[in-house]
mmCIF file of all heavy atoms in Angstrom:
data_model
loop_
_atom_site.group_PDB
_atom_site.id
_atom_site.type_symbol
_atom_site.label_atom_id
_atom_site.label_comp_id
_atom_site.label_asym_id
_atom_site.label_seq_id
_atom_site.Cartn_x
_atom_site.Cartn_y
_atom_site.Cartn_z
ATOM 1 N N GLN A 26 112.073 108.280 92.360
ATOM 2 C CA GLN A 26 113.000 107.535 93.079
ATOM 3 C C GLN A 26 112.534 107.206 94.493
ATOM 4 O O GLN A 26 112.612 106.077 94.918
ATOM 5 C CB GLN A 26 114.346 108.101 93.072
ATOM 6 C CG GLN A 26 115.046 108.121 91.737
ATOM 7 C CD GLN A 26 116.420 108.865 91.720
ATOM 8 O OE1 GLN A 26 116.705 109.413 92.711
ATOM 9 N NE2 GLN A 26 117.084 108.852 90.591
ATOM 10 N N GLN A 27 112.093 108.184 95.215
ATOM 11 C CA GLN A 27 111.553 108.012 96.565
ATOM 12 C C GLN A 27 110.330 107.077 96.554
ATOM 13 O O GLN A 27 110.235 106.209 97.448
ATOM 14 C CB GLN A 27 111.228 109.342 97.167
ATOM 15 C CG GLN A 27 112.451 110.232 97.486
ATOM 16 C CD GLN A 27 112.005 111.600 97.996
ATOM 17 O OE1 GLN A 27 110.868 111.923 98.092
ATOM 18 N NE2 GLN A 27 113.019 112.318 98.508
ATOM 19 N N ARG A 28 109.436 107.282 95.623
ATOM 20 C CA ARG A 28 108.244 106.467 95.563
ATOM 21 C C ARG A 28 108.570 104.978 95.270
ATOM 22 O O ARG A 28 108.093 104.080 95.968
ATOM 23 C CB ARG A 28 107.330 106.979 94.467
ATOM 24 C CG ARG A 28 105.940 106.289 94.501
ATOM 25 C CD ARG A 28 105.004 106.783 93.356
ATOM 26 N NE ARG A 28 104.885 108.231 93.515
ATOM 27 C CZ ARG A 28 105.073 109.090 92.516
ATOM 28 N NH1 ARG A 28 105.490 108.696 91.306
ATOM 29 N NH2 ARG A 28 104.899 110.390 92.702
ATOM 30 N N ALA A 29 109.563 104.789 94.366
ATOM 31 C CA ALA A 29 109.956 103.396 94.046
ATOM 32 C C ALA A 29 110.678 102.775 95.254
ATOM 33 O O ALA A 29 110.493 101.590 95.630
ATOM 34 C CB ALA A 29 110.940 103.463 92.883
ATOM 35 N N ALA A 30 111.453 103.480 95.948
ATOM 36 C CA ALA A 30 112.142 103.004 97.153
ATOM 37 C C ALA A 30 111.103 102.666 98.280
ATOM 38 O O ALA A 30 111.194 101.600 98.907
ATOM 39 C CB ALA A 30 113.156 103.993 97.685
ATOM 40 N N ARG A 31 110.118 103.524 98.430
ATOM 41 C CA ARG A 31 109.042 103.293 99.433
ATOM 42 C C ARG A 31 108.219 102.041 99.118
ATOM 43 O O ARG A 31 107.969 101.258 99.924
ATOM 44 C CB ARG A 31 108.197 104.510 99.498
ATOM 45 C CG ARG A 31 107.182 104.536 100.650
ATOM 46 C CD ARG A 31 106.290 105.698 100.765
ATOM 47 N NE ARG A 31 107.030 107.001 100.444
ATOM 48 C CZ ARG A 31 106.667 107.814 99.432
ATOM 49 N NH1 ARG A 31 105.718 107.550 98.674
ATOM 50 N NH2 ARG A 31 107.370 108.937 99.301
ATOM 51 N N GLU A 32 107.882 101.917 97.779
ATOM 52 C CA GLU A 32 107.186 100.690 97.405
ATOM 53 C C GLU A 32 107.969 99.456 97.597
ATOM 54 O O GLU A 32 107.486 98.379 97.993
ATOM 55 C CB GLU A 32 106.709 100.802 95.994
ATOM 56 C CG GLU A 32 105.669 101.891 95.842
ATOM 57 C CD GLU A 32 105.308 102.162 94.348
ATOM 58 O OE1 GLU A 32 105.893 101.547 93.443
ATOM 59 O OE2 GLU A 32 104.413 102.953 94.037
ATOM 60 N N ALA A 33 109.267 99.512 97.285
ATOM 61 C CA ALA A 33 110.152 98.320 97.494
ATOM 62 C C ALA A 33 110.253 97.987 98.936
ATOM 63 O O ALA A 33 110.230 96.825 99.330
ATOM 64 C CB ALA A 33 111.563 98.548 96.922
ATOM 65 N N ARG A 34 110.402 99.004 99.831
ATOM 66 C CA ARG A 34 110.391 98.743 101.249
ATOM 67 C C ARG A 34 109.154 98.082 101.758
ATOM 68 O O ARG A 34 109.153 97.133 102.568
ATOM 69 C CB ARG A 34 110.777 99.944 102.053
ATOM 70 C CG ARG A 34 112.201 100.359 102.012
ATOM 71 C CD ARG A 34 112.535 101.392 103.058
ATOM 72 N NE ARG A 34 111.590 102.697 103.050
ATOM 73 C CZ ARG A 34 111.773 103.688 102.313
ATOM 74 N NH1 ARG A 34 112.857 103.778 101.601
ATOM 75 N NH2 ARG A 34 110.925 104.699 102.433
ATOM 76 N N GLN A 35 108.014 98.610 101.237
ATOM 77 C CA GLN A 35 106.728 98.101 101.773
ATOM 78 C C GLN A 35 106.569 96.647 101.240
ATOM 79 O O GLN A 35 106.050 95.849 101.989
ATOM 80 C CB GLN A 35 105.646 98.988 101.252
ATOM 81 C CG GLN A 35 104.252 98.610 101.792
ATOM 82 C CD GLN A 35 104.136 98.731 103.276
ATOM 83 O OE1 GLN A 35 104.648 99.635 103.848
ATOM 84 N NE2 GLN A 35 103.499 97.789 103.903
ATOM 85 N N ALA A 36 106.928 96.388 100.044
ATOM 86 C CA ALA A 36 106.843 95.010 99.541
ATOM 87 C C ALA A 36 107.668 94.033 100.272
ATOM 88 O O ALA A 36 107.306 92.939 100.594
ATOM 89 C CB ALA A 36 107.158 94.966 98.045
ATOM 90 N N GLU A 37 108.856 94.547 100.700
ATOM 91 C CA GLU A 37 109.752 93.659 101.463
ATOM 92 C C GLU A 37 109.125 93.442 102.902
ATOM 93 O O GLU A 37 109.170 92.199 103.356
ATOM 94 C CB GLU A 37 111.113 94.320 101.620
ATOM 95 C CG GLU A 37 112.107 93.452 102.335
ATOM 96 C CD GLU A 37 113.537 94.076 102.412
ATOM 97 O OE1 GLU A 37 113.739 95.150 101.659
ATOM 98 O OE2 GLU A 37 114.333 93.683 103.182
ATOM 99 N N LYS A 38 108.538 94.466 103.493
ATOM 100 C CA LYS A 38 107.931 94.255 104.838
ATOM 101 C C LYS A 38 106.737 93.266 104.671
ATOM 102 O O LYS A 38 106.582 92.407 105.566
ATOM 103 C CB LYS A 38 107.434 95.583 105.305
ATOM 104 C CG LYS A 38 108.458 96.505 105.856
ATOM 105 C CD LYS A 38 107.785 97.824 106.330
ATOM 106 C CE LYS A 38 108.780 98.869 106.753
ATOM 107 N NZ LYS A 38 108.191 100.085 107.131
ATOM 108 N N ASP A 39 105.949 93.442 103.622
ATOM 109 C CA ASP A 39 104.752 92.587 103.458
ATOM 110 C C ASP A 39 105.255 91.104 103.307
ATOM 111 O O ASP A 39 104.642 90.222 103.850
ATOM 112 C CB ASP A 39 103.945 92.975 102.341
ATOM 113 C CG ASP A 39 103.256 94.275 102.536
ATOM 114 O OD1 ASP A 39 103.162 94.740 103.688
ATOM 115 O OD2 ASP A 39 102.829 94.977 101.494
ATOM 116 N N CYS A 40 106.342 90.883 102.480
ATOM 117 C CA CYS A 40 106.817 89.522 102.347
ATOM 118 C C CYS A 40 107.290 88.945 103.612
ATOM 119 O O CYS A 40 107.022 87.840 103.914
ATOM 120 C CB CYS A 40 107.932 89.596 101.291
ATOM 121 S SG CYS A 40 108.642 88.029 100.813
ATOM 122 N N ILE A 41 108.045 89.693 104.368
ATOM 123 C CA ILE A 41 108.538 89.238 105.632
ATOM 124 C C ILE A 41 107.407 88.842 106.581
ATOM 125 O O ILE A 41 107.417 87.831 107.159
ATOM 126 C CB ILE A 41 109.512 90.258 106.321
ATOM 127 C CG1 ILE A 41 110.799 90.351 105.466
ATOM 128 C CG2 ILE A 41 109.806 89.898 107.792
ATOM 129 C CD1 ILE A 41 111.649 91.477 105.901
ATOM 130 N N LEU A 42 106.383 89.721 106.655
ATOM 131 C CA LEU A 42 105.251 89.442 107.542
ATOM 132 C C LEU A 42 104.439 88.237 107.084
ATOM 133 O O LEU A 42 104.062 87.452 107.974
ATOM 134 C CB LEU A 42 104.352 90.652 107.632
ATOM 135 C CG LEU A 42 104.939 91.875 108.397
ATOM 136 C CD1 LEU A 42 104.013 93.055 108.345
ATOM 137 C CD2 LEU A 42 105.223 91.529 109.803
ATOM 138 N N ASP A 43 104.279 88.082 105.774
ATOM 139 C CA ASP A 43 103.633 86.928 105.291
ATOM 140 C C ASP A 43 104.386 85.621 105.645
ATOM 141 O O ASP A 43 103.790 84.629 105.991
ATOM 142 C CB ASP A 43 103.364 87.044 103.782
ATOM 143 C CG ASP A 43 102.362 87.936 103.406
ATOM 144 O OD1 ASP A 43 101.522 88.405 104.356
ATOM 145 O OD2 ASP A 43 102.315 88.452 102.279
ATOM 146 N N GLU A 44 105.749 85.633 105.559
ATOM 147 C CA GLU A 44 106.557 84.510 105.855
ATOM 148 C C GLU A 44 106.410 84.144 107.316
ATOM 149 O O GLU A 44 106.378 82.982 107.716
ATOM 150 C CB GLU A 44 107.936 84.701 105.444
ATOM 151 C CG GLU A 44 108.170 84.669 103.920
ATOM 152 C CD GLU A 44 109.645 85.048 103.567
ATOM 153 O OE1 GLU A 44 110.415 85.305 104.541
ATOM 154 O OE2 GLU A 44 109.933 85.057 102.344
ATOM 155 N N MET A 45 106.499 85.220 108.153
ATOM 156 C CA MET A 45 106.415 84.942 109.604
ATOM 157 C C MET A 45 105.060 84.513 110.009
ATOM 158 O O MET A 45 104.890 83.683 110.994
ATOM 159 C CB MET A 45 106.792 86.276 110.351
ATOM 160 C CG MET A 45 108.227 86.668 110.335
ATOM 161 S SD MET A 45 108.625 88.232 110.972
ATOM 162 C CE MET A 45 107.736 88.210 112.479
ATOM 163 N N ALA A 46 104.004 84.931 109.407
ATOM 164 C CA ALA A 46 102.656 84.793 109.901
ATOM 165 C C ALA A 46 102.001 83.479 109.490
ATOM 166 O O ALA A 46 101.124 82.979 110.024
ATOM 167 C CB ALA A 46 101.823 85.871 109.558
ATOM 168 N N LEU A 47 102.530 82.854 108.423
ATOM 169 C CA LEU A 47 101.963 81.681 107.888
ATOM 170 C C LEU A 47 102.719 80.388 108.297
ATOM 171 O O LEU A 47 103.994 80.319 108.163
ATOM 172 C CB LEU A 47 101.917 81.656 106.360
ATOM 173 C CG LEU A 47 100.900 82.655 105.830
ATOM 174 C CD1 LEU A 47 100.873 82.643 104.331
ATOM 175 C CD2 LEU A 47 99.460 82.293 106.238
ATOM 176 N N ARG A 48 101.984 79.413 108.826
ATOM 177 C CA ARG A 48 102.677 78.155 109.184
ATOM 178 C C ARG A 48 102.601 77.247 107.918
ATOM 179 O O ARG A 48 102.005 77.579 106.890
ATOM 180 C CB ARG A 48 101.779 77.428 110.156
ATOM 181 C CG ARG A 48 101.794 78.165 111.505
ATOM 182 C CD ARG A 48 101.006 77.301 112.543
ATOM 183 N NE ARG A 48 100.817 78.016 113.829
ATOM 184 C CZ ARG A 48 99.842 77.808 114.572
ATOM 185 N NH1 ARG A 48 99.011 76.823 114.381
ATOM 186 N NH2 ARG A 48 99.824 78.465 115.678
ATOM 187 N N PRO A 49 103.391 76.205 107.932
ATOM 188 C CA PRO A 49 103.409 75.290 106.710
ATOM 189 C C PRO A 49 102.041 74.799 106.336
ATOM 190 O O PRO A 49 101.786 74.554 105.159
ATOM 191 C CB PRO A 49 104.330 74.196 107.153
ATOM 192 C CG PRO A 49 105.199 74.727 108.216
ATOM 193 C CD PRO A 49 104.403 75.707 108.897
ATOM 194 N N ASP A 50 101.115 74.611 107.256
ATOM 195 C CA ASP A 50 99.880 74.127 106.914
ATOM 196 C C ASP A 50 98.904 75.220 106.560
ATOM 197 O O ASP A 50 97.738 74.877 106.179
ATOM 198 C CB ASP A 50 99.169 73.318 108.116
ATOM 199 C CG ASP A 50 99.062 74.170 109.346
ATOM 200 O OD1 ASP A 50 99.519 75.376 109.380
ATOM 201 O OD2 ASP A 50 98.427 73.653 110.359
ATOM 202 N N GLY A 51 99.299 76.396 106.443
ATOM 203 C CA GLY A 51 98.528 77.560 105.960
ATOM 204 C C GLY A 51 97.835 78.374 107.030
ATOM 205 O O GLY A 51 97.309 79.357 106.669
ATOM 206 N N ASP A 52 97.856 77.919 108.329
ATOM 207 C CA ASP A 52 97.257 78.654 109.396
ATOM 208 C C ASP A 52 98.211 79.854 109.746
ATOM 209 O O ASP A 52 99.365 79.751 109.561
ATOM 210 C CB ASP A 52 97.036 77.774 110.582
ATOM 211 C CG ASP A 52 95.868 76.885 110.407
ATOM 212 O OD1 ASP A 52 95.066 77.152 109.507
ATOM 213 O OD2 ASP A 52 95.747 75.922 111.065
ATOM 214 N N ARG A 53 97.560 80.802 110.416
ATOM 215 C CA ARG A 53 98.390 81.915 110.914
ATOM 216 C C ARG A 53 98.956 81.604 112.257
ATOM 217 O O ARG A 53 98.389 80.884 113.031
ATOM 218 C CB ARG A 53 97.540 83.201 111.053
ATOM 219 C CG ARG A 53 96.959 83.644 109.707
ATOM 220 C CD ARG A 53 97.396 85.060 109.518
ATOM 221 N NE ARG A 53 97.031 85.466 108.163
ATOM 222 C CZ ARG A 53 97.843 85.931 107.292
ATOM 223 N NH1 ARG A 53 99.159 85.938 107.555
ATOM 224 N NH2 ARG A 53 97.445 86.252 106.093
ATOM 225 N N GLN A 54 100.147 82.122 112.652
ATOM 226 C CA GLN A 54 100.710 81.944 113.958
ATOM 227 C C GLN A 54 100.848 83.290 114.510
ATOM 228 O O GLN A 54 100.995 84.271 113.845
ATOM 229 C CB GLN A 54 101.932 81.155 113.859
ATOM 230 C CG GLN A 54 103.091 81.856 113.124
ATOM 231 C CD GLN A 54 104.320 80.995 113.031
ATOM 232 O OE1 GLN A 54 104.238 79.879 113.431
ATOM 233 N NE2 GLN A 54 105.356 81.543 112.502
ATOM 234 N N ARG A 55 101.044 83.295 115.817
ATOM 235 C CA ARG A 55 101.325 84.539 116.520
ATOM 236 C C ARG A 55 102.809 85.000 116.230
ATOM 237 O O ARG A 55 103.697 84.190 116.218
ATOM 238 C CB ARG A 55 101.124 84.407 117.991
ATOM 239 C CG ARG A 55 99.641 84.192 118.320
ATOM 240 C CD ARG A 55 99.441 84.192 119.759
ATOM 241 N NE ARG A 55 99.907 85.446 120.269
ATOM 242 C CZ ARG A 55 99.841 85.718 121.626
ATOM 243 N NH1 ARG A 55 99.412 84.873 122.476
ATOM 244 N NH2 ARG A 55 100.262 86.895 122.063
#
Side-chain angles (χ1 to χ4, degrees):
Q26 289 175 353
Q27 289 175 353
R28 187 179 306 124
R31 189 179 319 119
E32 290 174 359
R34 282 194 309 269
Q35 186 63 38
E37 185 178 346
K38 285 180 188 177
D39 291 344
C40 182
I41 289 171
L42 289 176
D43 286 344
E44 289 173 0
M45 286 174 45
L47 287 178
R48 293 184 188 156
D50 60 354
D52 285 341
R53 296 237 176 240
Q54 67 182 2
R55 294 186 58 183

